[in-house]
């Protein structure tokens, strides 16, 4: 097995592991907390209630009816803001972890061609796809570009997860199979 193929598989594995780490951090800091569960239930309840009120309101409704709806919308907006704030702490933790991990992985793969792209990237992307690589072959792929592509595909495939636990293992496995098959075609 060539070194480039081994590096490609390692980067796909790293992408899957970091996606799992992000989901784990999010689950610990957000999804399992009582505050998140309470706010989420409240937002869902208020959304349904507001939807029903909007359906029953007629055009000739009085100002009082419209004011009630406005108050409900304001309450819903405040709860959504609170829900975003609960999620924010997980975003900071994930950002901190990934900044540290990216520095480590960049130093490990610095200057190494990890894959051969089946296309020539657009000129404004070549700085990222050919980052820290020697030579003029723009189809050479750097760690950061492959990592970003893998991570984007994993997140896209698991975008609809949001189950109770916050994990979607089948989507991550499907993504792993897809990206490894894709990059196997590129490396061989």
């Amino acid at each position: 097995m060539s070194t480039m193929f081994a590096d490609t598989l390692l980067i796909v594995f790293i992408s899957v592991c970091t996606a799992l780490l992000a989901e784990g951090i999010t689950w610990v800091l957000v999804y399992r907390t009582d505050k998140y569960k309470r706010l989420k239930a409240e937002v869902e309840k208020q959304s349904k209630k507001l939807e029903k009120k909007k359906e029953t309101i007629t055009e000739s409704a009085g100002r009082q009816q419209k004011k009630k709806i406005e108050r409900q919308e304001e309450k819903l907006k405040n709860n959504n803001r609170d829900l975003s704030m609960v999620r924010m702490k997980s975003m900071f933790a994930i950002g901190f972890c990934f900044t540290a991990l990216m520095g480590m992985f960049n130093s490990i793969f610095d200057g190494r061609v990890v894959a051969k792209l089946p296309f020539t990237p657009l000129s404004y992307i070549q700085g990222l796809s050919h980052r820290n690589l020697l030579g003029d072959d723009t189809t050479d792929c750097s760690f950061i570009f492959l990592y970003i592509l893998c991570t984007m595909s994993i997140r896209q495939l698991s975008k609809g997860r949001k189950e109770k636990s916050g994990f979607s293992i089948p989507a991550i496995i499907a993504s792993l199979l897809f990206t490894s098959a894709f990059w196997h075609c590129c490396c061989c």
Side-chain angles (χ1 to χ4, degrees):
M1 181 158 51
S2 72
T3 325
M4 192 184 310
F5 183 67
D7 285 346
T8 301
L9 287 179
L10 179 61
I11 293 169
V12 170
F13 179 73
I14 289 169
S15 297
V16 170
C17 289
T18 55
L20 287 173
L21 176 67
E23 287 300 322
I25 290 171
T26 303
W27 182 78
V28 167
L29 295 178
V30 178
Y31 295 135
R32 74 180 186 118
T33 63
D34 292 333
K35 185 174 183 180
Y36 173 79
K37 291 175 185 175
R38 181 183 48 78
L39 282 170
K40 185 173 180 183
E42 186 68 27
V43 165
E44 288 174 1
K45 185 176 91 176
Q46 285 177 347
S47 295
K48 288 177 185 174
K49 192 174 180 182
L50 185 63
E51 197 66 37
K52 283 182 183 178
K53 274 195 177 183
K54 282 185 175 182
E55 287 175 2
T56 60
I57 195 169
T58 61
E59 295 213 13
S60 62
R63 291 178 68 200
Q64 207 170 19
Q65 285 263 1
K66 289 181 181 178
K67 283 204 177 234
K68 279 184 180 180
I69 289 177
E70 284 177 14
R71 277 185 291 207
Q72 286 248 312
E73 286 175 340
E74 188 66 31
K75 198 174 178 184
L76 182 61
K77 190 184 342 176
N78 288 338
N79 280 339
N80 273 322
R81 186 192 68 230
D82 292 343
L83 199 56
S84 294
M85 293 304 285
V86 169
R87 290 181 183 140
M88 187 80 66
K89 64 182 175 184
S90 126
M91 293 299 192
F92 282 122
I94 290 169
F96 180 75
C97 288
F98 287 140
T99 302
L101 287 172
M102 288 306 294
M104 181 182 71
F105 292 136
N106 277 331
S107 66
I108 292 170
F109 291 103
D110 191 34
R112 285 169 54 184
V113 176
V114 296
K116 204 76 157 144
L117 297 173
F119 57 90
T120 302
L122 300 171
S123 60
Y124 59 89
I125 296 176
Q126 286 178 4
L128 189 61
S129 68
H130 201 71
R131 183 173 172 221
N132 294 338
L133 298 179
L134 299 175
D136 295 329
D137 187 2
T138 56
T139 61
D140 287 345
C141 180
S142 66
F143 160 77
I144 192 69
F145 189 68
L146 180 57
Y147 177 79
I148 289 171
L149 286 177
C150 290
T151 303
M152 284 173 50
S153 66
I154 290 167
R155 293 218 174 139
Q156 189 63 36
L157 288 171
S158 66
K159 193 175 188 176
R161 66 201 182 323
K162 300 297 182 200
E163 297 168 359
K164 251 186 180 178
S165 66
F167 288 91
S168 184
I169 301 301
I172 290 174
I173 291 171
S175 174
L176 173 64
L177 295 173
F178 167 77
T179 52
S180 63
F182 176 76
W183 288 106
H184 176 69
C185 294
C186 299
C187 294
C188 297

